[in-house]
Amino acid sequence: MTLPGEAPHPGDELFWLLRRTLHTMRRDVRERVDLSPARHRLLRTAARTPEPQRQTTLAAALDIVPRSVTSLVDDLEAAGLVERLPDPTDRRATLVAVTAEGRAVLAEADRQRRRHAEELLARLEPGEQAELLRLLHRLVDDADPC
C-alpha cells in the first residue's frame, strides 16, 4: 500500500489496475449472464475438450482441489449447463459433459466479455490499443507460465 505523498510502486499499480479491469469485466458478464467466474472457467475448460472429462482431470486443468470441482459441477448441473455421465472405462468414475444449453450460455458469456472489452478499448485511440496489446503480450509471452 502506498502512503500519502509516496509514489505508487509500478508493480502494485500494475497489479491493481489489471485486477480492477478484470473485476469490472467479470462483474459485467456476471450481470448479463448468470455465471460466476469460477463456473465460467470450469464450463470453458470442459467445453474445450471434445470428450467428456473426469472431475479429477478438470480439477488438475483448473489447478483447484477436486472438492471444489464437485461443488462447481453440482451448481452447473443444477442449472442444466453440464451433465454427469458414467465413465465407460471405470464404473467408479464420472465424466462431465457440457450440454447444449451450457454451450449456448458460454457463447453468450464470450459475446458479453468481448463487448465489454471493446467498450474499454474504445476509450483508446487505435494506435494506443495496439500498443497496449503489444505490451501486455510482451509481459505475458515472456513470463514463465504460472
Side-chain angles (χ1 to χ4, degrees), residues 61-73:
L62 295 167
D63 195 26
I64 60 176
V65 297
R67 176 68 190 122
S68 295
V69 168
T70 300
S71 297
L72 291 170
V73 171

Side-chain angles (χ1 to χ4, degrees), residues 20-141:
R20 186 170 172 204
T21 301
L22 290 173
H23 176 76
T24 60
M25 290 178 73
R26 287 177 176 150
R27 184 188 64 225
D28 186 60
V29 169
R30 190 173 46 243
E31 287 173 0
R32 289 169 167 48
V33 181
D34 187 23
L35 200 58
S36 73
R39 291 178 191 155
H40 187 179
R41 218 172 133 224
L42 187 135
L43 191 61
R44 172 172 303 295
T45 301
R48 282 187 176 146
T49 61
E51 300 294 324
Q53 296 293 306
R54 288 185 180 181
Q55 289 183 185
T56 54
T57 303
L58 293 170
L62 295 167
D63 195 26
I64 60 176
V65 297
R67 176 68 190 122
S68 295
V69 168
T70 300
S71 297
L72 291 170
V73 171
D74 288 346
D75 295 342
L76 291 170
E77 186 176 39
L81 305 181
V82 300
E83 62 182 339
R84 286 182 168 102
L85 305 169
D87 185 335
T89 63
D90 181 351
R91 64 186 183 139
R92 298 167 297 162
T94 302
L95 301 176
V96 177
V98 179
T99 64
E101 177 67 15
R103 291 187 189 283
V105 167
L106 186 57
E108 180 58 23
D110 288 345
R111 278 191 291 279
Q112 293 299 328
R113 190 186 70 240
R114 277 189 222 103
R115 180 198 54 77
H116 190 83
E118 288 168 1
E119 287 175 6
L120 286 175
L121 287 171
R123 299 176 187 177
L124 303 174
E125 297 295 324
E128 292 172 321
Q129 292 178 23
E131 181 67 1
L132 173 63
L133 295 174
R134 184 188 72 75
L135 291 170
L136 288 172
H137 272 286
R138 206 164 139 202
L139 290 176
V140 172
D141 296 345

